[in-house]
């Protein structure tokens, strides 16, 4: 019998469902400017998170995937505001 690991199984929800379920939470974060469904250069679908600046806190909070869908951070190039 074929067995698949959790990583190889398809995500339970579609990428659009995951984005819709998380858009309000993501947009509430100071660094986030826009969220969308996009693709990597190889055509793999991803959740694009457009941010003002890189943030370790943001990367830790969101991570590199959401419910099995990869996340792609796109930095606008805006400088991080001074405290």
């Amino acid at each position: 019998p074929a067995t698949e690991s959790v990583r190889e199984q398809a995500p339970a929800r579609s990428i659009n469902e995951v984005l819709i379920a998380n858009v309000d939470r993501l947009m509430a974060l100071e660094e986030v400017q826009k969220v969308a469904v996009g693709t990597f250069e190889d055509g793999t679908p991803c959740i694009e998170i457009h941010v003002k600046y890189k943030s370790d806190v943001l990367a830790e909070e969101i991570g590199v995937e959401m419910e099995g869908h990869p996340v792609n951070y796109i930095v606008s190039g805006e400088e991080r505001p001074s405290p």
Side-chain angles (χ1 to χ4, degrees), residues 5-71:
S5 72
V6 173
R7 297 181 129 257
E8 295 171 344
Q9 293 177 353
R13 296 199 288 179
S14 76
I15 196 166
N16 289 321
E17 291 171 321
V18 173
L19 180 63
I20 290 167
N22 288 280
V23 69
D24 290 339
R25 176 180 71 87
L26 295 170
M27 292 304 298
L29 300 171
E30 178 185 339
E31 300 96 326
V32 176
Q33 296 178 308
K34 174 183 169 184
V35 295
V37 173
T39 57
F40 288 106
E41 288 183 20
D42 68 359
T44 303
C46 65
I47 295 173
E48 289 184 347
I49 302 178
H50 297 255
V51 296
K52 296 176 188 176
Y53 49 84
K54 291 181 181 180
S55 164
D56 291 338
V57 173
L58 183 68
E60 286 177 18
E61 186 169 331
I62 298 172
V64 295
E65 70 175 29
M66 295 178 71
E67 296 185 34
H69 299 286
V71 171

Side-chain angles (χ1 to χ4, degrees), residues 69-81:
H69 299 286
V71 171
N72 184 20
Y73 294 94
I74 299 172
V75 180
S76 69
E78 186 174 308
E79 290 295 315
R80 184 180 188 136

